[in-house]
Amino acid sequence: MSQISKKHVNNKVTERVFEIFVDFLIAVNNPEKAEIFLNNLLTSTEKVVLAKRLSIAFLLVNGYSTEQIKYLLRVSSQTVWTVKTWLSHEGKGLVKIINEIRNNKKNKLTMKMFFIMLEELLTPIYTGHWDRVQRKKRWQKY
């Protein structure tokens, strides 16, 4: 993510800035607005970093192993460990939101298809060296 300025900002100003940020998040109440908001607010790199962090959290909450997440998202063990540690210490609110999304009836089919796709990606096609070749080919399709 971006660097934070070393210049100190008054605590009341910081609180108000976060209140305004939360107001913006609340105003984003549909997918079209969310896409516009994120495209205007974040760089492409920041969007990827944020999306991967949220995906790691989502997969961890849904019982995926560090090795599976590393393979699926092409992230390091350190990145997965950092998100896992953060979830266990400070991420209770995010876990609650992930569970709400997963259990929402409108999302049931989407979630089911998502998990089927993940299982297909994680299931080896052949044994030995062909396994690696086939996985690499499958990843290149996406």
Side-chain angles (χ1 to χ4, degrees):
M1 296 298 255
S2 300
Q3 296 287 326
I4 297 176
S5 173
K6 293 180 182 180
K7 297 176 184 173
H8 181 68
V9 178
N10 180 300
N11 286 341
K12 287 187 180 191
V13 172
T14 302
E15 285 177 27
R16 184 63 187 133
V17 167
F18 281 113
E19 287 173 9
I20 292 169
F21 181 65
V22 169
D23 290 342
F24 274 105
L25 292 176
I26 292 169
V28 177
N29 57 6
N30 67 50
E32 294 81 22
K33 282 185 181 180
E35 189 172 347
I36 291 168
F37 177 73
L38 292 173
N39 285 335
N40 286 283
L41 180 67
L42 303 173
T43 67
S44 58
T45 302
E46 290 169 333
K47 285 188 282 190
V48 169
V49 169
L50 186 59
K52 281 191 174 188
R53 283 185 190 170
L54 289 171
S55 297
I56 292 167
F58 183 83
L59 293 171
L60 285 169
V61 168
N62 286 286
Y64 284 77
S65 71
T66 299
E67 290 302 315
Q68 290 172 318
I69 295 169
K70 281 173 47 181
Y71 176 76
L72 287 169
L73 299 177
R74 299 295 192 243
V75 294
S76 69
S77 297
Q78 180 64 40
T79 303
V80 177
W81 180 84
T82 300
V83 173
K84 187 184 285 190
T85 302
W86 178 78
L87 274 176
S88 66
H89 294 289
E90 301 175 34
K92 289 171 184 49
L94 181 58
V95 171
K96 183 179 177 184
I97 292 169
I98 289 170
N99 287 327
E100 286 175 10
I101 289 170
R102 184 181 57 193
N103 296 329
N104 184 326
K105 288 183 181 181
K106 290 191 298 187
N107 296 330
K108 283 286 187 188
L109 184 60
T110 305
M111 291 292 110
K112 190 172 188 173
M113 294 303 291
F114 174 73
F115 287 118
I116 288 169
M117 181 194 73
L118 289 180
E119 291 305 318
E120 287 176 1
L121 289 171
L122 290 170
T123 304
I125 296 174
Y126 301 103
T127 58
H129 296 294
W130 282 105
D131 177 48
R132 290 186 210 137
V133 172
Q134 292 300 321
R135 282 187 188 168
K136 189 173 184 178
K137 284 183 182 178
R138 281 193 295 190
W139 273 108
Q140 290 171 347
K141 290 180 188 177
Y142 300 102

